[in-house]
Amino acid sequence: MTDILSLSFSIPLSHTPFSIVVNKHKPWIETSYHGVITENMDIVLLDPPLVALDKDAPVPYAGEICAFKIHGLEAPFEAVVLNGTSGEGQLRARGPVDCELQKEYTFIIQAHDCGAGPGGTGGKKSHKAVVHIQVNDVNEFSPVFREAQYQAAVTEGKIYDNILQVEATDQDCSPQYSQICNYQITTSNTPFAIDRNGNIRNTEKLSFDKQQQYEVLVTAFDCGQKRSTESVAVHIDVKPVCKPGWQGWNKRVDYEPGTGSKQLFPKMHLETCGGPLSSVRTMVELQTSHIGKGCDRETYSEKSLQKLCGASSGSTDLLPAPSVSTNWTASLVTDSGRDSDLIFRFDGRQAAKIPDQMVPQNLTDQFTIATWMKHGPTPGLRAEKETLLCNSDKTEMNRHHYSLYVHNCRLVFLLRRDFTQVDTFRPAEFHWKLEQICDKEWHYYVINVEFPVVTLYVDGVTFDPYLVTDDWPIHPSQIDVQLTLGACWQGGEVTMPRFTQYFRGSLSGLTIRPGKIESQKVISCLQACKEGLDINSLESLGKGIKFHFNPAQSILVMEGEDLENMNAALRKVSYINSRQFPTPGIRHLHISTSVQCFGEDTCISIPDIDAVVMVLQPSEPRITIAGVDRLTRPVADLRGPAGLTLFQDLHIISTVTKGDTEEIIHNLDYCDILVLGEELRPEQEGLQLQRMTIETCPPSLLGVDSMSNYEQVIRQVHYHNWHPTQTPDRKFRLTCSELNGRYTSNEFTLEISVLHKSEAGEHVNHMVAPPQYMQVVHHPAMVHSLYPTHGSGVPSAATVVIVICIAALVVVVVLGIYRIHLTHQQEGRSSDTTKEGELDWNDSALNITVNPMEEGELGGGSRIRGKILSSILTVKGGSR
């Protein structure tokens, strides 16, 4: 378009060359215009219409509009004058207008008059007006989907609000035609629906067994109802139900004794079904309450355990196994449980009186009471006291001097001092309120008294009393007291003395140690479990993993934020049992897990799982005692100061069978020597151990120690007979045991024959002695007759002389025997001169603690009485 439109006009005939034309005014147009053009059209509809006015009208030329000029950057429009006199014009597109390329245009327009004459000289132009033009869209494009196809997966049995969303677009420029107003599923008979936003949902629960995949065709409509030329395929997979939880674990884990730690979950992992987690917390619990006293512990006797743990000596076992000497527990109900544990059950009707000679008489300001207890709440009896131990008046009065009882699930220890000990208002009752007292589980309770301070240990953990009440001391009296178990004795203030305040629960190992308190280290050892949970390679745990064990290592809690690190950590959890011969059977495992999601307190729920550890039956040891089983000795050996060594060639071995037979090393906890046949005659024969007389029936060596140390001790047992000619041949039977009688040896029998006139000898038991122990030791001793052989013919005078000589000889012999007897007693007090050279005592490795008795004849009784008094083996430096 040119800047100036040249228009040709016809000059009216009335105008002559001599007429004067004056162009005084500029044309006038609106200040702004708004126009609309439809794409692919050329006429612009302006509002207001394009009209230019000139005040010079009707003056020819000066009052007429000759052109409209557009000023803009390549505006694809032109303005034409439809009527110069009226000033009407029109705006047109110079070419196709595409809304998708440009939706709006803005430019400047001006009107020009025809000037002063035909040449347009002196023409004037209007002010500039702004023109805004909007291009109207035409629905020329169809919707097109963004993806060639869509894929989704759902879990069976669920109704989803939104499985996935499909999306289509339209290239039209206007909202009317570019927006998608509707979607439609064209596949018939399908259990899905779609909304106008493209969200697909299922209209019924899907079944994996019925159909594993669906293909659905979807089409789209824009707001001008133009349909997409092609539908899109949507593939929906149906998956079986995903159940969050631990996977890859075995319900049973077999544990072979002696193999150390065993991984419990080597392939376990947590399935979260795709849910993102912020943290995971897992607790693994080893449940062993059904094993013995709460877990697998050493089952030696209480005294043996105290020795193993280094406890102070001098304790009194108030709940020993029933026997002739400990018969007060015979009436109690026992539950041997497993693995030789001795447990006493009390149901509110059993109680026992402790014999006066067994009651500790010297309870000073320091003493210790310890016991295992399993106790639960008793419905309907909350106000009644349940007494474990009670020391009360035997008659006349009903005073409790000290007692230990449970009351309303609180443990109470009562200690009333005598006026002879203290005469002021002092602490008397100590109360503890603990969950353990009534949780129906085994716990080890130790009360250390350092009056006026009383400390309670439960499973090795210290607890101070929450309440201490004071009381006056007990007035002195001459009334005897009675110590009882399982109830308290009420001997006064009632018509008939009786037990009261019965205990309901289980007890084991109730001891009192006067004069000393136990250290926390020893207490922890006495109650320590030998089995528990463990973590293999702690240093390899992933970053951010926190873990915590309870004191017994039966509960493990692990926390972490990274799921893979948690999976790896749980795979390292293992079971360990350090006992050489663990209790076989099931240990239950319980695993509970809680998870948190981002921004939520909880999200998915992880089911608890239960598994078992099956501790297999350990290979039982075969304890074999071997050695010489027959000794023939002259009279002199039995009469000698050292006596006869019974088991000089004794050997104790233990073997197990695991395919092949192999020898193993373990401890023993007692050995018994039994006299077979006629019992020993104390006035003429007896047994000695390193110059100490043994009074046992049967003789017993007690205490946990190694087999080699037991061998050393037994080899020092000597048999003495001061009148062997009056004693028949003797037989001794030796047996040894481990783990409180759980494993017992063969019965080794030794026969002793007294040789009066022939050579001594011995016999080796080839049935039980291994080849390396088969040996014969000869003792070449000969006893000659005191009376030589004489001829038959003896003169009578000689006979008289012989009679006189014999009489004199008798006197000399009697005096000599008496002298020898005195010498024998003196030599008996010197241990160095009475030992046989080959049986030197090596006390650098072994120390036997026995109660010394004066050596000599044992009086009374047809059998050896008692036990080796307090005979307990103690190895310097410790054993197991």
Side-chain angles (χ1 to χ4, degrees):
M1 181 182 290
T2 59
D3 293 337
I4 301 175
L5 296 176
S6 300
L7 302 176
S8 58
F9 298 93
S10 298
I11 301 176
L13 295 176
S14 58
H15 292 183
T16 64
F18 303 100
S19 301
I20 299 174
V21 179
V22 179
N23 191 2
K24 296 182 178 180
H25 300 93
K26 296 186 295 183
W28 177 90
I29 59 176
E30 299 287 345
T31 57
S32 64
Y33 295 89
H34 294 273
V36 175
I37 183 173
T38 302
E39 61 177 349
N40 302 324
M41 304 293 287
D42 58 354
I43 302 300
V44 179
L45 300 178
L46 287 178
D47 181 26
L50 182 59
V51 176
L53 302 177
D54 196 319
K55 291 183 178 181
D56 292 325
V59 177
Y61 299 108
E64 298 177 353
I65 302 301
C66 286
F68 292 98
K69 182 179 179 182
I70 294 177
H71 303 277
L73 297 176
E74 298 181 358
F77 297 98
E78 61 180 3
V80 296
V81 178
L82 298 180
N83 189 324
T85 303
S86 63
E88 182 180 357
Q90 187 179 64
L91 194 61
R92 299 175 181 172
R94 291 187 288 117
V97 178
D98 193 344
C99 176
E100 285 72 41
L101 295 178
Q102 189 167 343
K103 296 180 180 180
E104 294 181 348
Y105 294 90
T106 301
F107 52 86
I108 303 298
I109 191 171
Q110 283 183 307
H112 293 255
D113 60 15
C114 295
T121 58
K124 295 183 181 292
K125 54 187 178 181
S126 68
H127 60 273
K128 295 179 179 179
V130 178
V131 180
H132 297 279
I133 297 179
Q134 178 181 340
V135 182
N136 281 348
D137 189 23
V138 174
N139 194 3
E140 55 185 328
F141 293 100
S142 299
V144 176
F145 287 95
R146 290 186 179 273
E147 304 290 341
Q149 64 178 2
Y150 290 87
Q151 189 81 24
V154 296
T155 302
E156 63 175 344
K158 295 177 61 177
I159 295 293
Y160 290 83
D161 294 330
N162 181 18
I163 297 176
L164 80 161
Q165 183 181 28
V166 297
E167 185 179 4
T169 59
D170 195 309
Q171 296 182 13
D172 288 311
C173 68
S174 64
Q176 180 182 2
Y177 301 133
S178 65
Q179 291 183 355
I180 307 300
C181 283
N182 194 22
Y183 293 91
Q184 182 178 335
I185 293 177
T186 59
T187 304
S188 59
N189 299 324
T190 182
F192 300 96
I194 190 169
D195 62 17
R196 59 181 56 202
N197 294 320
N199 296 308
I200 298 178
R201 59 183 177 85
N202 58 318
T203 58
E204 62 184 51
K205 294 180 180 180
L206 306 179
S207 172
F208 176 81
D209 296 331
K210 181 179 179 181
Q211 189 168 344
Q212 289 82 44
Q213 188 183 66
Y214 291 86
E215 182 180 81
V216 178
L217 297 179
V218 177
T219 189
F221 295 86
D222 62 21
C223 294
Q225 292 303 305
K226 194 175 187 67
R227 181 174 174 171
S228 59
T229 56
E230 293 183 0
S231 298
V232 69
V234 179
H235 298 278
I236 300 175
D237 295 324
V238 180
K239 292 185 176 181
V241 176
C242 177
K243 298 179 180 179
W246 292 103
Q247 296 184 0
W249 55 278
N250 294 324
K251 192 171 182 61
R252 169 173 164 164
V253 179
D254 288 341
Y255 180 79
E256 181 73 29
T259 57
S261 62
K262 174 74 175 286
Q263 279 183 277
L264 297 174
F265 320 110
K267 298 180 180 180
M268 190 168 73
H269 68 278
L270 182 60
E271 174 61 62
T272 64
C273 297
L277 305 179
S278 62
S279 66
V280 180
R281 183 181 187 273
T282 298
M283 181 172 70
V284 182
E285 181 179 4
L286 179 67
Q287 299 173 343
T288 58
S289 58
H290 62 291
I291 301 294
K293 296 191 288 288
C295 70
D296 213 0
R297 296 182 170 91
E298 295 294 3
T299 55
Y300 294 112
S301 66
E302 199 65 30
K303 284 185 177 291
S304 297
L305 285 175
Q306 289 172 1
K307 177 203 167 185
L308 287 174
C309 292
S312 303
S313 60
S315 66
T316 301
D317 188 358
L318 300 181
L319 278 177
S323 67
V324 176
S325 58
T326 59
N327 58 2
W328 68 87
T329 60
S331 62
L332 301 178
V333 178
T334 60
D335 180 5
S336 60
R338 299 189 181 190
D339 203 10
S340 303
D341 270 346
L342 185 61
I343 295 170
F344 293 87
R345 290 189 292 110
F346 297 84
D347 62 1
R349 293 175 294 180
Q350 291 88 19
K353 294 181 180 180
I354 308 299
D356 293 341
Q357 66 271 18
M358 298 300 301
V359 176
Q361 301 296 329
N362 54 342
L363 290 187
T364 61
D365 287 347
Q366 283 192 346
F367 62 92
T368 297
I369 299 176
T371 186
W372 286 95
M373 182 177 73
K374 180 180 180 181
H375 180 264
T378 306
L381 298 175
R382 291 183 58 82
E384 185 174 341
K385 296 179 180 179
E386 299 180 54
T387 301
L388 286 74
L389 179 69
C390 181
N391 185 265
S392 59
D393 290 329
K394 185 176 293 187
T395 59
E396 300 183 29
M397 303 182 71
N398 188 30
R399 300 175 302 175
H400 294 185
H401 296 257
Y402 63 86
S403 66
L404 180 64
Y405 61 90
V406 175
H407 188 211
N408 291 340
C409 289
R410 291 164 174 79
L411 187 66
V412 183
F413 177 62
L414 170 69
L415 180 61
R416 300 282 303 279
R417 312 310 298 267
D418 293 338
F419 261 109
T420 57
Q421 297 173 307
V422 64
D423 59 356
T424 59
F425 205 57
R426 300 296 295 274
E429 276 192 343
F430 303 84
H431 300 249
W432 293 271
K433 183 179 180 181
L434 305 172
E435 293 181 357
Q436 293 92 323
I437 297 171
C438 281
D439 66 358
K440 297 182 180 181
E441 301 289 345
W442 279 106
H443 299 285
Y444 188 55
Y445 298 82
V446 177
I447 295 179
N448 272 349
V449 178
E450 285 184 292
F451 195 79
V453 178
V454 177
T455 304
L456 173 67
Y457 292 86
V458 180
D459 298 331
V461 180
T462 308
F463 294 94
D464 293 324
Y466 80 94
L467 175 65
V468 178
T469 59
D470 296 344
D471 203 348
W472 290 103
I474 293 178
H475 293 282
S477 68
Q478 300 301 317
I479 302 175
D480 293 334
V481 294
Q482 177 66 62
L483 183 62
T484 56
L485 292 170
C488 205
W489 179 253
Q490 188 172 0
E493 302 178 358
V494 291
T495 305
M496 181 69 67
R498 59 186 175 86
F499 284 111
T500 185
Q501 300 175 4
Y502 284 96
F503 177 70
R504 294 171 177 83
S506 297
L507 297 175
S508 180
L510 178 56
T511 61
I512 297 181
R513 178 177 290 105
K516 294 181 180 179
I517 62 172
E518 210 55 87
S519 67
Q520 186 167 7
K521 180 180 179 181
V522 171
I523 293 171
S524 298
C525 174
L526 289 172
Q527 61 86 37
C529 286
K530 295 297 183 179
E531 64 180 339
L533 299 173
D534 193 17
I535 297 179
N536 290 334
S537 183
L538 285 173
E539 62 276 5
S540 66
L541 283 181
K543 294 181 179 180
I545 299 297
K546 301 177 183 178
F547 67 93
H548 172 72
F549 284 102
N550 69 333
Q553 285 196 217
S554 60
I555 297 177
L556 168 62
V557 178
M558 306 185 78
E559 296 182 73
E561 297 179 354
D562 184 82
L563 181 58
E564 288 305 316
N565 286 343
M566 278 293 293
N567 287 336
L570 262 295
R571 295 187 193 113
K572 297 179 184 296
V573 177
S574 60
Y575 169 81
I576 187 169
N577 194 316
S578 60
R579 292 192 66 191
Q580 189 174 15
F581 306 109
T583 303
I586 288 176
R587 275 73 162 164
H588 293 278
L589 284 169
H590 183 76
I591 300 149
S592 57
T593 304
S594 61
V595 298
Q596 289 187 336
C597 295
F598 294 96
E600 301 179 25
D601 293 336
T602 59
C603 42
I604 59 175
S605 177
I606 306 299
D608 294 353
I609 64 174
D610 291 287
V612 295
V613 176
M614 176 60 74
V615 178
L616 303 179
Q617 181 75 34
S619 299
E620 296 193 2
R622 181 183 178 185
I623 305 172
T624 303
I625 303 175
V628 175
D629 64 352
R630 183 181 302 162
L631 294 175
T632 302
R633 290 292 183 265
V635 172
D637 286 3
L638 276 67
R639 286 175 173 173
L644 176 63
T645 303
L646 295 182
F647 305 103
Q648 179 178 351
D649 300 302
L650 178 80
H651 293 280
I652 304 175
I653 62 171
S654 182
T655 57
V656 295
T657 302
K658 295 181 179 179
D660 297 330
T661 300
E662 59 183 66
E663 185 173 347
I664 62 172
I665 303 298
H666 59 78
N667 287 345
L668 299 175
D669 56 5
Y670 73 82
C671 288
D672 286 340
I673 302 173
L674 179 66
V675 180
L676 301 180
E678 183 181 350
E679 298 178 356
L680 296 183
R681 301 173 182 178
E683 67 277 3
Q684 66 182 43
E685 58 183 335
L687 297 177
Q688 287 185 334
L689 177 61
Q690 195 189 15
R691 308 303 298 161
M692 293 183 182
T693 303
I694 301 174
E695 287 190 358
T696 68
C697 181
S700 298
L701 301 175
L702 305 175
V704 181
D705 217 311
S706 65
M707 291 185 292
S708 61
N709 285 339
Y710 261 91
E711 284 181 353
Q712 293 183 45
V713 173
I714 297 173
R715 289 171 184 171
Q716 307 307 316
V717 176
H718 297 258
Y719 172 63
H720 293 263
N721 195 322
W722 294 276
H723 303 285
T725 57
Q726 303 175 11
T727 306
D729 292 346
R730 283 295 180 194
K731 289 185 179 181
F732 297 94
R733 177 176 296 167
L734 173 65
T735 58
C736 295
S737 175
E738 162 69 330
L739 289 175
N740 208 18
R742 180 176 174 185
Y743 303 116
T744 304
S745 71
N746 62 305
E747 295 180 344
F748 177 77
T749 301
L750 172 64
E751 183 177 352
I752 298 175
S753 298
V754 179
L755 184 64
H756 299 280
K757 294 183 180 181
S758 59
E759 182 179 353
E762 61 185 24
H763 179 266
V764 177
N765 184 343
H766 297 280
M767 296 301 294
V768 296
Q772 62 267 34
Y773 301 144
M774 291 183 181
Q775 53 184 326
V776 178
V777 180
H778 297 282
H779 297 270
M782 183 68 68
V783 178
H784 297 277
S785 173
L786 295 177
Y787 305 100
T789 305
H790 299 282
S792 57
V794 180
S796 59
T799 301
V800 174
V801 173
I802 290 174
V803 170
I804 296 173
C805 292
I806 289 176
L809 180 62
V810 169
V811 174
V812 174
V813 170
V814 170
L815 293 175
I817 291 174
Y818 179 74
R819 183 71 175 271
I820 292 172
H821 182 63
L822 291 177
T823 303
H824 170 67
Q825 286 184 327
Q826 293 173 354
E827 290 175 347
R829 294 177 176 84
S830 175
S831 60
D832 293 336
T833 61
T834 59
K835 296 179 185 176
E836 295 180 1
E838 72 276 17
L839 294 177
D840 291 339
W841 187 267
N842 182 8
D843 63 355
S844 64
L846 182 66
N847 176 24
I848 302 176
T849 304
V850 298
N851 285 351
M853 295 180 59
E854 183 178 345
E855 182 187 6
E857 295 186 357
L858 304 178
S862 59
R863 300 192 63 183
I864 305 172
R865 295 186 181 88
K867 298 223 176 245
I868 291 183
L869 299 181
S870 303
S871 131
I872 297 177
L873 290 156
T874 305
V875 178
K876 293 181 179 178
S879 59
R880 188 171 68 180

